Short mmCIF file of all heavy atoms in Angstrom, two decimals:
data_model
loop_
_atom_site.label_atom_id
_atom_site.label_comp_id
_atom_site.label_asym_id
_atom_site.label_seq_id
_atom_site.Cartn_x
_atom_site.Cartn_y
_atom_site.Cartn_z
N GLY N 211 -153.79 53.99 -103.44
CA GLY N 211 -154.80 52.99 -103.13
C GLY N 211 -154.32 51.88 -102.22
O GLY N 211 -155.08 51.40 -101.36
N ARG N 212 -153.08 51.47 -102.39
CA ARG N 212 -152.55 50.38 -101.56
C ARG N 212 -152.64 50.71 -100.07
O ARG N 212 -152.81 49.82 -99.23
CB ARG N 212 -151.10 50.10 -101.94
CG ARG N 212 -150.44 49.02 -101.12
CD ARG N 212 -148.99 48.84 -101.50
NE ARG N 212 -148.34 47.83 -100.68
CZ ARG N 212 -147.04 47.55 -100.74
NH1 ARG N 212 -146.24 48.21 -101.59
NH2 ARG N 212 -146.52 46.62 -99.96
N TYR N 213 -152.51 51.99 -99.75
CA TYR N 213 -152.50 52.42 -98.34
C TYR N 213 -153.79 53.13 -97.94
O TYR N 213 -153.84 53.75 -96.87
CB TYR N 213 -151.29 53.33 -98.10
CG TYR N 213 -149.98 52.68 -98.45
CD1 TYR N 213 -149.34 52.96 -99.65
CD2 TYR N 213 -149.39 51.76 -97.58
CE1 TYR N 213 -148.14 52.34 -99.98
CE2 TYR N 213 -148.19 51.15 -97.91
CZ TYR N 213 -147.58 51.44 -99.11
OH TYR N 213 -146.39 50.82 -99.43
N TYR N 214 -154.81 53.09 -98.79
CA TYR N 214 -156.10 53.73 -98.51
C TYR N 214 -155.94 55.21 -98.20
O TYR N 214 -156.56 55.75 -97.28
CB TYR N 214 -156.81 53.00 -97.36
CG TYR N 214 -156.93 51.52 -97.57
CD1 TYR N 214 -156.13 50.62 -96.85
CD2 TYR N 214 -157.79 51.00 -98.53
CE1 TYR N 214 -156.21 49.25 -97.07
CE2 TYR N 214 -157.88 49.63 -98.75
CZ TYR N 214 -157.08 48.77 -98.02
OH TYR N 214 -157.15 47.42 -98.25
N ARG N 215 -155.12 55.88 -99.01
CA ARG N 215 -154.84 57.30 -98.79
C ARG N 215 -155.83 58.21 -99.53
O ARG N 215 -155.78 59.42 -99.35
CB ARG N 215 -153.42 57.62 -99.25
CG ARG N 215 -152.36 56.86 -98.49
CD ARG N 215 -150.98 57.06 -99.12
NE ARG N 215 -150.51 58.43 -98.96
CZ ARG N 215 -149.52 58.96 -99.67
NH1 ARG N 215 -148.95 58.25 -100.63
NH2 ARG N 215 -149.13 60.20 -99.45
N GLU N 216 -156.69 57.63 -100.35
CA GLU N 216 -157.66 58.43 -101.10
C GLU N 216 -158.94 58.61 -100.27
O GLU N 216 -159.32 57.73 -99.51
CB GLU N 216 -157.99 57.76 -102.44
CG GLU N 216 -158.86 56.51 -102.37
CD GLU N 216 -158.08 55.23 -102.12
OE1 GLU N 216 -157.04 55.27 -101.42
OE2 GLU N 216 -158.53 54.16 -102.62
N TYR N 217 -159.61 59.75 -100.44
CA TYR N 217 -160.85 60.01 -99.72
C TYR N 217 -162.04 59.30 -100.35
O TYR N 217 -163.10 59.19 -99.74
CB TYR N 217 -161.13 61.52 -99.66
CG TYR N 217 -160.21 62.24 -98.71
CD1 TYR N 217 -159.10 62.91 -99.18
CD2 TYR N 217 -160.45 62.24 -97.34
CE1 TYR N 217 -158.23 63.57 -98.31
CE2 TYR N 217 -159.59 62.89 -96.46
CZ TYR N 217 -158.49 63.55 -96.96
OH TYR N 217 -157.63 64.20 -96.09
N GLY N 218 -161.87 58.87 -101.58
CA GLY N 218 -162.94 58.18 -102.28
C GLY N 218 -162.53 57.85 -103.69
O GLY N 218 -161.38 58.07 -104.08
N HIS N 219 -163.46 57.35 -104.46
CA HIS N 219 -163.16 56.87 -105.81
C HIS N 219 -163.77 57.73 -106.92
O HIS N 219 -163.70 57.36 -108.09
CB HIS N 219 -163.64 55.42 -105.95
CG HIS N 219 -162.99 54.50 -104.97
ND1 HIS N 219 -161.63 54.27 -104.94
CD2 HIS N 219 -163.52 53.74 -103.97
CE1 HIS N 219 -161.35 53.41 -103.97
NE2 HIS N 219 -162.47 53.08 -103.37
N THR N 220 -164.36 58.86 -106.54
CA THR N 220 -164.91 59.78 -107.54
C THR N 220 -164.37 61.18 -107.27
O THR N 220 -164.10 61.53 -106.11
CB THR N 220 -166.44 59.83 -107.50
OG1 THR N 220 -166.87 60.36 -106.24
CG2 THR N 220 -167.03 58.43 -107.71
N PRO N 221 -164.23 61.99 -108.30
CA PRO N 221 -163.71 63.35 -108.11
C PRO N 221 -164.52 64.17 -107.11
O PRO N 221 -163.94 64.93 -106.32
CB PRO N 221 -163.76 63.94 -109.51
CG PRO N 221 -163.61 62.77 -110.43
CD PRO N 221 -164.37 61.66 -109.75
N ASP N 222 -165.83 64.04 -107.13
CA ASP N 222 -166.67 64.85 -106.25
C ASP N 222 -166.44 64.52 -104.78
O ASP N 222 -166.36 65.42 -103.93
CB ASP N 222 -168.14 64.69 -106.60
CG ASP N 222 -168.51 65.39 -107.90
OD1 ASP N 222 -167.70 66.21 -108.38
OD2 ASP N 222 -169.60 65.10 -108.44
N VAL N 223 -166.35 63.24 -104.46
CA VAL N 223 -166.13 62.85 -103.07
C VAL N 223 -164.75 63.30 -102.59
O VAL N 223 -164.60 63.83 -101.48
CB VAL N 223 -166.28 61.32 -102.90
CG1 VAL N 223 -165.79 60.88 -101.52
CG2 VAL N 223 -167.74 60.91 -103.09
N VAL N 224 -163.75 63.11 -103.42
CA VAL N 224 -162.40 63.53 -103.04
C VAL N 224 -162.34 65.05 -102.89
O VAL N 224 -161.72 65.57 -101.96
CB VAL N 224 -161.36 63.04 -104.06
CG1 VAL N 224 -159.98 63.60 -103.73
CG2 VAL N 224 -161.31 61.51 -104.07
N ALA N 225 -163.00 65.77 -103.79
CA ALA N 225 -163.00 67.23 -103.70
C ALA N 225 -163.66 67.71 -102.41
O ALA N 225 -163.13 68.58 -101.71
CB ALA N 225 -163.71 67.83 -104.91
N SER N 226 -164.82 67.16 -102.10
CA SER N 226 -165.54 67.63 -100.91
C SER N 226 -164.80 67.30 -99.62
O SER N 226 -164.74 68.12 -98.69
CB SER N 226 -166.95 67.04 -100.87
OG SER N 226 -166.91 65.62 -100.78
N HIS N 227 -164.19 66.12 -99.56
CA HIS N 227 -163.56 65.71 -98.31
C HIS N 227 -162.13 66.23 -98.15
O HIS N 227 -161.72 66.56 -97.03
CB HIS N 227 -163.64 64.19 -98.18
CG HIS N 227 -165.01 63.70 -97.83
ND1 HIS N 227 -166.06 63.71 -98.74
CD2 HIS N 227 -165.54 63.25 -96.67
CE1 HIS N 227 -167.15 63.27 -98.16
NE2 HIS N 227 -166.87 62.98 -96.90
N SER N 228 -161.40 66.33 -99.24
CA SER N 228 -160.09 66.99 -99.12
C SER N 228 -160.31 68.46 -98.76
O SER N 228 -159.54 69.04 -97.97
CB SER N 228 -159.28 66.87 -100.41
OG SER N 228 -159.95 67.44 -101.51
N GLY N 229 -161.37 69.05 -99.28
CA GLY N 229 -161.71 70.43 -98.93
C GLY N 229 -162.09 70.58 -97.48
O GLY N 229 -161.71 71.55 -96.81
N ALA N 230 -162.84 69.61 -96.95
CA ALA N 230 -163.23 69.66 -95.54
C ALA N 230 -162.00 69.51 -94.63
O ALA N 230 -161.88 70.20 -93.61
CB ALA N 230 -164.23 68.55 -95.24
N PHE N 231 -161.07 68.64 -95.02
CA PHE N 231 -159.84 68.46 -94.25
C PHE N 231 -159.06 69.76 -94.22
O PHE N 231 -158.57 70.20 -93.17
CB PHE N 231 -159.01 67.34 -94.86
CG PHE N 231 -157.78 66.96 -94.07
CD1 PHE N 231 -157.80 65.85 -93.23
CD2 PHE N 231 -156.60 67.67 -94.17
CE1 PHE N 231 -156.67 65.47 -92.51
CE2 PHE N 231 -155.47 67.32 -93.46
CZ PHE N 231 -155.51 66.22 -92.62
N ALA N 232 -158.92 70.40 -95.38
CA ALA N 232 -158.17 71.66 -95.47
C ALA N 232 -158.85 72.76 -94.68
O ALA N 232 -158.19 73.56 -94.00
CB ALA N 232 -158.01 72.06 -96.93
#
Side-chain angles (χ1 to χ4, degrees):
R212 178 182 178 186
Y213 303 100
Y214 308 106
R215 299 172 68 197
E216 73 274 33
Y217 287 99
H219 300 299
T220 64
D222 287 346
V223 169
V224 174
S226 62
H227 286 72
S228 59
F231 186 99

